[in-house]
Amino acid sequence: MGLTAVDRRRLERALRQAREARHFRRLLAIKLIAEGKGPGEAAHLAALSRPAVYFWLKRYLRERTPSALVDAPRSGRPRAAPRLSSERLRKVVRTRPEKVGWASHGWTVPLLRTHLHRQGFEVSSRTLRRRLHEAGLVWKRPRYVYATAAPYPGQKNGALFAV
């Protein structure tokens, strides 16, 4: 198949260093072919399809480097609400909810989600939490504090006072 002993040693070294399962299986299939196995048997042992083995073998023979068997970067799923930038989210969070018509002193994820929905941004709570984190915003639960101290703390605690 055009593979040499140098290729076999190179593939063995790469197999020991491989961290991704796809890359490992491809390396294994090409190494098995370098050891004299047929493409069908190599495909079976490496859990790949026979056409895939031929594809990766052709690529390896063209470049003669194990990195030729690595996946190309993928774009992934498009972002939900791409118009909702970190700057826009920071601007919304900086405004107090009372000033934009909500009966609340602080933003909660459900309230922020509803507010953004009214502005035309359809985003889930999970995505919103992730976007807040990406924007560098720390999310904490509100802590309720008494506005003034109790007028008679001793009586409130049940202490007795001598008259």
Side-chain angles (χ1 to χ4, degrees):
M1 290 274 172
L3 295 166
T4 64
V6 174
D7 288 322
R8 195 175 75 246
R9 285 192 300 273
R10 187 179 299 145
L11 290 164
E12 286 171 357
R13 260 194 318 267
L15 269 170
R16 286 191 296 272
Q17 297 171 354
R19 297 290 173 245
E20 292 183 15
R22 288 180 180 169
H23 186 220
F24 181 86
R25 290 196 327 254
R26 294 169 190 158
L27 288 167
L28 179 62
I30 305 306
K31 180 185 165 279
L32 290 170
I33 291 174
E35 291 174 349
K37 306 272 191 224
E41 188 178 358
H44 177 72
L45 292 172
L48 293 172
S49 69
R50 193 175 176 135
V53 170
Y54 281 110
F55 173 84
W56 292 110
L57 178 61
K58 182 179 172 184
R59 181 176 284 184
Y60 180 80
L61 289 173
R62 187 175 55 232
E63 297 184 29
R64 296 281 181 179
T65 176
S67 62
L69 305 178
V70 176
D71 273 337
R74 299 177 185 185
S75 62
R77 183 177 177 171
R79 288 178 70 95
R83 296 178 323 158
L84 182 59
S85 64
S86 294
E87 294 79 28
R88 184 173 286 185
L89 189 57
R90 279 191 210 101
K91 182 180 177 185
V92 170
V93 170
R94 277 191 207 117
T95 61
R96 300 194 46 87
E98 310 96 41
K99 291 189 178 184
V100 289
W102 298 104
S104 176
H105 297 292
W107 290 108
T108 62
V109 170
L111 180 62
L112 188 56
R113 182 176 175 221
T114 304
H115 180 70
L116 290 171
H117 177 67
R118 288 188 180 173
Q119 291 184 345
F121 299 102
E122 189 60 41
V123 63
S124 70
S125 297
R126 184 176 178 197
T127 300
L128 184 56
R129 285 185 181 93
R130 191 171 50 249
R131 292 288 185 87
L132 288 166
H133 179 73
E134 288 172 4
L137 298 168
V138 178
W139 194 258
K140 294 183 179 179
R141 293 186 184 272
R143 181 179 295 167
Y144 298 102
V145 192
Y146 291 113
T148 58
Y152 303 103
Q155 289 177 354
K156 189 171 185 177
N157 292 332
L160 297 174
F161 291 98
V163 180

